[in-house]
Amino acid sequence: MRLSARPCIPTMLTFLLLLQLAFKVSLQEGIAANGGYPRTKIATEGCDLELQCKELRIQVNTIMNIIKVLLGPDRTVVGHKIFKMEEHQGTFQRGKIGCDDNLALPRNNEENQALEDLLQKPGQKAILGITYNTAENEFEDLNGHPVQFFSWAPGEPNILGEKKCVTINTEGKWHVEDCLYERTIICEVDI
């Protein structure tokens, strides 16, 4: 039996979330006061909520840094999402199928920046999980909900003709393009 060089990501995420929960419980119940970790012992003895929050932030940041290392260069964590770049390019339809209808869709500047950072080759574009509803005259996510955040390039959205798919470029700007163009595929996973 050959072991993979990379650990199973869902298993590692579960482990890290359980670890985070264990830290929270130790802070709340004062377990650390009975010979626990020095930094959490100080936090629980003084009942200083601000210090407890600071300690928890340090622990969460440590866990997030571990996750980033485990994910590798073609993946990133933002908020409660993982963006994973696929090895092969494809059309919008192939991207939807390959990502189980979870093509990347940034819903704020931070997520848009994360996608921009994944795109490193000059001229590279990735397909976003957005469609244009001609009946409603609006852009929607793949569940049919109106998109609230946009980062259009100058002159966009240009919805004339058959160009109904949205891509993001290396500057984080969005373009409307033909859905048959092959572009980078980035999947989105909620955590």
Side-chain angles (χ1 to χ4, degrees):
M1 175 199 230
R2 186 173 169 235
L3 295 176
S4 171
R6 275 194 182 186
C8 177
I9 298 301
T11 303
M12 290 301 298
L13 289 174
T14 302
F15 168 76
L16 292 170
L17 289 172
L18 288 172
L19 184 63
Q20 179 184 5
L21 180 62
F23 283 132
K24 283 183 183 178
V25 169
S26 76
L27 284 172
Q28 290 172 352
E29 295 180 359
I31 293 172
N34 296 325
Y37 301 101
R39 289 190 306 183
T40 49
K41 182 176 180 180
I42 292 168
T44 55
E45 283 177 352
C47 286
D48 184 354
L49 186 57
E50 187 175 326
L51 191 56
Q52 289 178 7
C53 289
K54 183 178 179 182
E55 175 63 28
L56 186 57
R57 272 190 230 107
I58 291 168
Q59 293 166 355
V60 168
N61 286 339
T62 301
I63 290 169
M64 292 305 291
N65 288 335
I66 292 168
I67 290 172
K68 288 176 184 177
V69 169
L70 291 174
L71 291 176
D74 59 343
R75 298 175 174 114
T76 190
V77 177
V78 180
H80 296 285
K81 290 182 182 181
I82 296 175
F83 291 122
K84 177 188 176 291
M85 188 163 38
E86 296 295 303
E87 292 180 26
H88 305 287
Q89 291 191 336
T91 62
F92 176 78
Q93 192 61 34
R94 194 177 327 159
K96 276 180 49 177
I97 292 168
C99 294
D100 294 326
D101 283 335
N102 290 312
L103 278 169
L105 173 56
R107 298 192 185 270
N108 55 48
N109 283 324
E110 184 181 17
E111 292 177 5
N112 201 69
Q113 181 65 50
L115 291 177
E116 179 184 338
D117 292 345
L118 283 175
L119 300 173
Q120 309 225 341
K121 298 176 188 168
Q124 186 178 19
K125 291 183 179 179
I127 301 166
L128 296 178
I130 300 174
T131 59
Y132 182 71
N133 182 333
T134 53
E136 297 293 325
N137 195 29
E138 66 184 4
F139 289 90
E140 298 177 340
D141 65 19
L142 297 181
N143 295 317
H145 300 110
V147 175
Q148 303 296 319
F149 171 82
F150 299 97
S151 182
W152 295 117
E156 295 287 356
N158 178 1
I159 55 173
L160 300 175
E162 298 299 314
K163 305 185 298 182
K164 301 294 187 219
C165 287
V166 179
T167 59
I168 183 173
N169 65 21
T170 55
E171 288 83 39
K173 297 300 179 193
W174 298 6
H175 299 267
V176 179
E177 294 186 353
D178 189 311
C179 294
L180 298 177
Y181 290 161
E182 293 208 354
R183 300 292 185 204
T184 300
I185 296 171
I186 301 176
C187 301
E188 176 180 303
V189 179
D190 289 324
I191 52 174

